[in-house]
Amino acid sequence: MAFLNDNYSKLKAGYLFPEIARRVKAFTDSNADAAKRMIRCGIGDVTEPLPEAVRAALHKAVDEMGVRETFKGYGPEQGYEWLRKAIAENDFRAHGIEVADDEIIVSDGTKCDTGNILDILGAKNVIAVTDPVYPVYVDTNVMAGNTGDADARGAYAGLVYLEGNEANGFVPAPPKQHVDVIYLCSPNNPTGAAATRAQLEAWVAYARANGTLILFDAAYETYISEPGIPHSIYEIPGARECAIEFRSYSKSGGFTGVRCGFVVVPKTLLATTASGEKKPLHPLWLRRQTTKFNGVAYIIQRAAEALYSADGKAQVRALVEHYMGNARILRDAAQSVGWKTWGGVNAPYIWVKCPGSLGSWEMFDKMLHEANVVITPGAGFGAGGEGYFRISAFNSRANAEEVGRRIKALKI
Ligand SMILES: *Cc1c(COP(=O)(O)O)cnc(C)c1O
């Protein structure tokens, strides 16, 4: 008899996006005109084509694979040295941040990495997440058996939820209580809020005082436009002793369908063994990856490398400016009808308070039926998201402008 992992039965089975799809289908099935007019500002996926520098690198790498002399089989599981060096130099050392080439571990993306990281952490950790939250952090802890059951609001027993709200600008401060692990995402999905230097300093101070591990998801780092907002947790002195950073090319280079990212695990980062000894986490993550992962495809790593060329950098900048131009249009439209917004300045998401006393699913239905626009109800990101919704700026300019017009025409 094979026993299954009972923790999976605790999951609120893929509730958010299937429910969105169900409501959109039910509406469009009975309304062909609305189906044609429908604009999706829901799922956080990029829409614009891959940068030219990336496509050129891909073509070249594919051709190398077609010649015996330059063909590549298995590569180093942790990534080719030339890519790890390009990352450490361009993303960190060029900004005065101390990160060694071999502290970079290349992967197929941050969703996988933030889930897989639990492999190297013990079972007794008190784990904290912010609420609203990127659901992957929660669900992977449920799967790993780090939680009890969910309550009626969808909150799992055993997890510590730190509420993001209007008072803290959706950047929760460190709690009074002790936690062992905290997931921080800045700039944030879904709220678009970015932590200031002072806020991250408070987190690093808390982590160092409590022996807490910060899991820092910087997937939206390239979208930061305000000076002074940290792009990396390692800009904060002391973070090399308490934080792992996750980065992805999904939103910067438009790699959601290409798949590449990396983790920074400083060799100075220690955690505690069952017997109370302090040991580095770096060798564990390396061991985990070299055992359970066989590396990112050579051609994809060449594509990622191309993002660091002069052309690649300029093309990424243009992509980000395109999406952030959309964000400005959508944010201005929302504000012009009196909606209260957050984000859309350092992140491609606008977080909006539902007007009147509408719940987030009621607002979803209203936008669907009356504006034929798909947004994401805040409640899908945790109890703290109820009463809010997220508009994604990942779209064409024409669609963003049209959504702006429809928001202004909406009767609330
Ligand atoms: C999109 C996103 C990522 C990127 O995940 P990949 O697996 O690299 O595509 C990571 N974290 C958050 C919060 C995101 O929204």
Side-chain angles (χ1 to χ4, degrees):
M1 188 159 40
F3 295 99
L4 52 73
N5 181 346
D6 280 311
N7 295 314
Y8 280 61
S9 62
K10 298 177 197 162
L11 293 165
K12 294 263 173 185
Y15 170 71
L16 177 62
F17 290 110
E19 177 61 17
I20 289 176
R22 192 191 66 74
R23 290 190 190 210
V24 172
K25 185 171 187 311
F27 177 61
T28 51
D29 277 356
S30 61
N31 193 329
D33 285 345
K36 280 199 218 93
R37 267 169 52 88
M38 195 67 63
I39 299 179
R40 291 168 197 276
C41 295
I43 297 179
D45 193 1
V46 296
T47 56
E48 302 309 295
L50 278 180
E52 156 67 23
V54 168
R55 285 180 283 130
L58 281 169
H59 284 296
K60 181 163 175 273
V62 167
D63 288 341
E64 286 175 54
M65 293 295 274
V67 177
R68 173 179 294 278
E69 285 69 30
T70 49
F71 169 79
K72 302 277 186 304
Y74 291 125
E77 294 92 340
Q78 61 273 42
Y80 284 99
E81 271 176 28
W82 38 262
L83 179 57
R84 299 167 84 195
K85 183 169 191 288
I87 292 169
E89 276 184 4
N90 288 279
D91 283 334
F92 299 99
R93 294 197 292 263
H95 306 284
I97 304 166
E98 175 200 352
V99 168
D101 298 357
D102 63 354
E103 292 176 324
I104 305 286
I105 293 134
V106 177
S107 74
D108 56 346
T110 295
K111 185 185 194 179
C112 331
D113 286 332
T114 51
N116 292 338
I117 200 75
L118 293 174
D119 268 17
I120 66 164
L121 301 180
K124 290 196 198 124
N125 289 312
V126 176
I127 293 178
V129 293
T130 60
D131 178 17
V133 66
Y134 180 54
V136 174
Y137 311 151
V138 172
D139 288 357
T140 52
N141 273 286
V142 176
M143 291 171 175
N146 290 341
T147 75
D149 288 323
D151 67 14
R153 299 167 77 220
Y156 288 91
L159 282 187
V160 175
Y161 289 88
L162 306 178
E163 190 189 280
N165 52 38
E166 299 186 26
N168 60 27
F170 294 95
V171 183
K176 298 268 181 295
Q177 77 186 96
H178 170 93
V179 302
D180 299 302
V181 179
I182 170 73
Y183 291 82
L184 295 178
C185 176
S186 178
N188 192 266
N189 178 10
T191 69
T196 62
R197 181 171 303 275
Q199 286 168 328
L200 290 182
E201 280 169 356
W203 271 109
V204 168
Y206 170 88
R208 290 173 63 96
N210 287 273
T212 306
L213 172 64
I214 297 174
L215 299 176
F216 191 76
D217 183 345
Y220 295 94
E221 166 275 327
T222 359
Y223 288 84
I224 294 172
S225 70
E226 289 182 310
I229 301 284
H231 288 239
S232 166
I233 189 73
Y234 305 118
E235 289 182 41
I236 311 300
R240 283 182 53 85
E241 282 71 47
C242 65
I244 290 176
E245 182 161 304
F246 301 88
R247 294 242 190 144
S248 168
Y249 300 112
S250 283
K251 315 298 164 32
S252 60
F255 270 39
T256 53
V258 175
R259 311 303 312 141
C260 195
F262 61 90
V263 182
V264 186
V265 187
K267 283 177 275 179
T268 45
L269 173 64
L270 309 180
T272 310
T273 66
S275 57
E277 269 177 282
K278 298 272 191 204
K279 291 213 164 150
L281 282 170
H282 184 272
L284 273 68
W285 183 244
L286 201 58
R287 188 70 163 88
R288 193 265 169 214
Q289 288 301 86
T290 52
T291 302
K292 291 197 182 183
F293 184 59
N294 239 339
V296 175
Y298 170 73
I299 59 173
I300 304 301
Q301 293 192 58
R302 284 296 185 198
E305 182 191 36
L307 295 170
Y308 296 104
S309 66
D311 283 352
K313 283 177 183 170
Q315 290 159 14
V316 166
R317 207 28 46 219
L319 267 181
V320 167
E321 275 166 20
H322 165 79
Y323 292 127
M324 291 312 284
N326 290 348
R328 202 172 311 119
I329 290 164
L330 295 164
R331 195 164 44 96
D332 287 351
Q335 290 177 351
S336 78
V337 296
W339 295 351
K340 202 166 178 194
T341 71
W342 292 263
V345 175
N346 298 303
Y349 299 121
I350 299 108
W351 185 245
V352 189
K353 188 180 176 76
C354 298
S357 54
L358 290 179
S360 61
W361 279 107
E362 288 172 317
M363 189 64 196
F364 174 87
D365 287 336
K366 189 173 179 65
M367 291 289 281
L368 177 64
H369 292 250
E370 295 172 27
N372 305 142
V373 170
V374 181
I375 49 92
T376 316
F381 299 102
E386 182 50 84
Y388 300 87
F389 64 99
R390 186 190 77 177
I391 310 177
S392 163
F394 290 127
N395 227 318
S396 65
R397 180 55 47 86
N399 274 352
E401 284 170 348
E402 177 60 17
V403 171
R405 281 192 288 274
R406 293 188 197 172
I407 287 173
K408 289 177 185 166
L410 203 62
K411 295 203 172 42
I412 297 289

